[in-house]
Amino acid sequence: MTRFARKCSVTGKGMNEGYCVNDGEFYFSEESQLVKFLRDRDSEDTSHLSDDFILKEAYDLEEYYWTEWSEDDCEDEWYDEDGNLHEVN
């Protein structure tokens, strides 16, 4: 069984690479999920702004980053493909 270090906040599936928002408050496996999150959280209308602009602005403000996690990140707990949490005894 494949071990995943994080769980996508949208799909609930395990993931070993993706976007981390606000130092682990949210995780997204796809860029489109991140863009939707960034647009939805703003109270102002951002429909006239490009996805690239939204992403660059948030990245420059250090609101998110893309990363990969390894087996070493699964020492105490891990997720399976369906997002079920497993604790290491």
Side-chain angles (χ1 to χ4, degrees):
M1 178 182 298
T2 303
R3 293 180 177 204
F4 296 94
R6 301 293 185 271
K7 181 168 94 170
C8 178
S9 298
V10 174
T11 66
K13 303 285 185 183
M15 56 188 271
N16 280 330
E17 64 181 39
Y19 300 91
C20 178
V21 176
N22 296 330
D23 293 323
E25 186 177 349
F26 299 100
Y27 298 101
F28 300 103
S29 57
E30 301 292 330
E31 183 179 275
S32 60
Q33 299 163 341
L34 173 61
V35 170
K36 182 174 180 350
F37 169 81
L38 294 171
R39 287 186 184 279
D40 289 351
R41 63 150 191 180
D42 287 334
S43 57
E44 64 185 64
D45 179 21
T46 61
S47 62
H48 63 286
L49 302 173
S50 71
D51 290 353
D52 288 340
F53 180 87
I54 295 289
L55 289 168
K56 182 176 181 342
E57 182 179 69
Y59 185 82
D60 289 348
L61 293 171
E62 298 181 357
E63 296 178 328
Y64 81 91
Y65 58 92
W66 187 91
T67 190
E68 294 177 345
W69 296 278
S70 69
E71 289 269 336
D72 295 338
D73 295 312
C74 300
E75 290 181 3
D76 298 327
E77 62 184 25
W78 55 278
Y79 297 92
D80 61 27
E81 184 177 0
D82 294 325
N84 299 308
L85 179 63
H86 299 268
E87 294 186 18
V88 178
N89 296 328

